[in-house]
Every structure is written in structure tokens, then in C-alpha cells.
Amino acid sequence: MRIIQSESTAEAIRITAEAVLERVQSHPNSVIGVATGRTMEPVYAELARIKRERAVDFSKCFFFMLDEYVGLPAGHPSSFREYVHRHLEAPLGLRRDQIACPSIGGDYEQTLKESGGIDLQLLGIGQNGHIGFNEPGSTKDSRTRKVVLTESTRKANQSQFHDEEVPREAVSMGIASILETKSIWLLATGTSKADAIKHVLNVHDDPKCPATYLKSHAHFTLVLDPWAASKINLKI
Ligand code: F6R
């Protein structure tokens, strides 16, 4: 595991966006795994900004989404598919057929396999240590499947739904699917992630904190802003 402790949130965001850009510039037909959520919004904004500056070509890339809520109608503004449309597809000028979204009844694992696998996986982290929607209790051999969201995750995501109920279920790539990706970049920003990050650094393969499984991956980079890193001390 490589840990990058940045001087500011803006720097952490820039480092993460640059990792994607470097990959796409050196390998235009890259397969990228994308997370949604508040942490990633400025990363995608930065990608779009740099794309305009450097004319990066995303037309040969393919994108796999990590997860999606179950039960939202197509086009629901709080669905992750709409999030990806707003923050990635439209700003980067992607085609709809460049993006795959997990769904009930679809064979996502087969689609992943046929793509040749994800070259670079972007991840956020839940306050409870979830990655994708692999909530505490998820096993290391889990694959894309329907999952039940914890109350704490539903509460954390309530602001995206205004007065509506947050769905109780989702479809998520599994831990095994994530560990098969060729490189992983997890970005954590803000004090609300500090406890989860401390746990990730101190504990190994803990089902109660699924992000701990990532430490067995050979190419795992953890990018932290000063607040997410505020409960760890790497300078001893
Ligand atoms: C979303 C996802 C989740 C989020 C996590 C953090 O696709 O996979 O694991 O990364 O819930 O969400 P934010 O960034 O909103 O704090």
C-alpha cells in the first residue's frame, strides 16, 4: 500500500485526477472503475477542467460504475447513473455506450471479464469503512450482488434524496471484483473519514471495515487530505 498525505484537499483531488489522466494519456483504451459520492465530485470536475486544457482523448476508454441503488426509476436524479451522467458523461463528452452500470439481473462479472478487467479503480470510503456498497460484514470473496444498506449509510446519503426515502438496497461490485482490478486509488477527504482511515491503517482483513481488505492489493494507493489523515501518525 502506498499512502499519499497531501497538504490540502485541493491537492488530494488533483493527485487523484492526475492518476486517471496519466493512465488515459498513456493508454487511451483504458478501462476505468468509477465511484460516485461527494468525494468524487471535485475529482471529476478537475478531470473535465484538465481535459479542456490538455485535450485528453477519452473516446476509447470504458467506464464501469461501482454500484447503483435498487428500485429507483430510470433517470431518477439521485441515482448513481444520473450522477455519472452529470459529473462524467456530459462534462467529458462520453458516449452512453462507454459506461456500464450494475443492475439486478445483469451479468456484471461477465461484462467485467469480457472488458479485460479494470485498469484503474477509483474508490471513496464510507464512514463505516464500506467500499462501493460493500457494507460491514461483506466477505473478501464477494462478487457483484444485491446488498442491504446499513442505516448509517442511508443516513449519510439522505442529503442526496431531500425529502425522499433513501433506498434500502443496492447492487454493488464485490470485494473480490474490486481486488481483481489492476490498480486502486482510494481518496478520502474530511474529518468524517478520519476514524475509518485510522482503522484501515491499523487493522487487516477486518469484515467489520471492508476497506481493510484493500491492503492485500499489490497496487493500492490511499490519497488523504489533512483531515482524513488527522487520526493517523506516519511521522514516527
Ligand atoms: C459510491 C460508493 C461509496 C462512496 C462512499 C463515500 O459509488 O461507492 O462507497 O464512495 O459512500 O461517499 P461520499 O464520497 O459521499 O462520502
Side-chain angles (χ1 to χ4, degrees):
M1 168 172 58
R2 179 168 57 138
I3 302 171
I4 301 177
Q5 268 188 272
S6 61
E7 298 289 326
S8 66
T9 308
E11 191 194 356
I13 288 160
R14 203 174 52 246
I15 289 168
T16 310
E18 285 289 352
V20 177
L21 285 160
E22 270 168 35
R23 173 71 211 182
V24 173
Q25 285 185 302
S26 58
H27 301 82
N29 55 355
S30 290
V31 180
I32 312 286
V34 288
T36 60
R38 281 142 292 188
T39 311
M40 289 298 153
E41 285 180 21
V43 174
Y44 300 145
E46 179 70 359
L47 270 187
R49 192 188 66 76
I50 303 176
K51 179 194 186 265
R52 283 192 299 273
E53 225 174 65
R54 296 191 215 154
V56 189
D57 180 14
F58 284 93
S59 66
K60 296 184 189 72
C61 294
F62 193 82
F63 296 85
F64 279 96
M65 292 171 54
L66 256 181
D67 42 16
E68 178 59 289
Y69 291 109
V70 168
L72 295 182
H76 190 289
S78 306
S79 69
F80 286 162
R81 185 62 189 83
E82 278 303 297
Y83 170 107
V84 167
H85 174 73
R86 278 196 304 277
H87 295 286
L88 267 176
E89 189 181 332
L92 295 185
L94 305 175
R95 303 179 311 274
R96 266 197 105 71
D97 66 3
Q98 285 179 269
I99 302 160
C101 177
S103 63
I104 298 283
D107 195 346
Y108 212 55
E109 292 292 329
Q110 185 59 27
T111 317
L112 279 166
K113 207 183 279 173
E114 283 165 9
S115 75
I118 292 176
D119 297 304
L120 188 155
Q121 177 67 53
L122 287 176
L123 293 177
I125 184 169
Q127 291 170 30
N128 63 3
H130 73 217
I131 46 171
F133 271 147
N134 294 286
E135 296 279 35
S138 300
T139 58
K140 205 170 180 176
D141 60 1
S142 53
R143 293 278 169 188
T144 306
R145 68 208 183 289
K146 187 158 92 168
V147 295
V148 176
L149 300 177
T150 61
E151 282 313 305
S152 69
T153 295
R154 293 182 65 237
K155 206 167 149 201
N157 291 358
Q158 183 64 59
S159 62
Q160 313 297 310
F161 283 83
H162 310 289
D163 293 338
E164 245 181 287
E165 262 219 335
V166 179
R168 289 171 192 281
E169 293 176 330
V171 184
S172 179
M173 268 169 64
I175 301 292
S177 338
I178 292 171
L179 289 176
E180 269 172 16
T181 65
K182 290 162 205 158
S183 77
I184 298 175
W185 286 73
L186 190 156
L187 171 64
T189 55
T191 41
S192 68
K193 305 297 169 68
D195 283 322
I197 293 302
K198 182 178 173 193
H199 200 83
V200 168
L201 294 193
N202 290 332
V203 185
H204 302 277
D205 277 1
D206 181 3
K208 291 201 283 303
C209 180
T212 58
Y213 294 130
L214 298 172
K215 293 200 290 185
S216 59
H217 193 283
H219 301 284
F220 169 43
T221 304
L222 183 58
V223 184
L224 305 173
D225 80 350
W227 292 274
S230 59
K231 294 196 175 166
I232 60 172
N233 184 4
L234 299 176
K235 296 190 181 80
I236 43 171

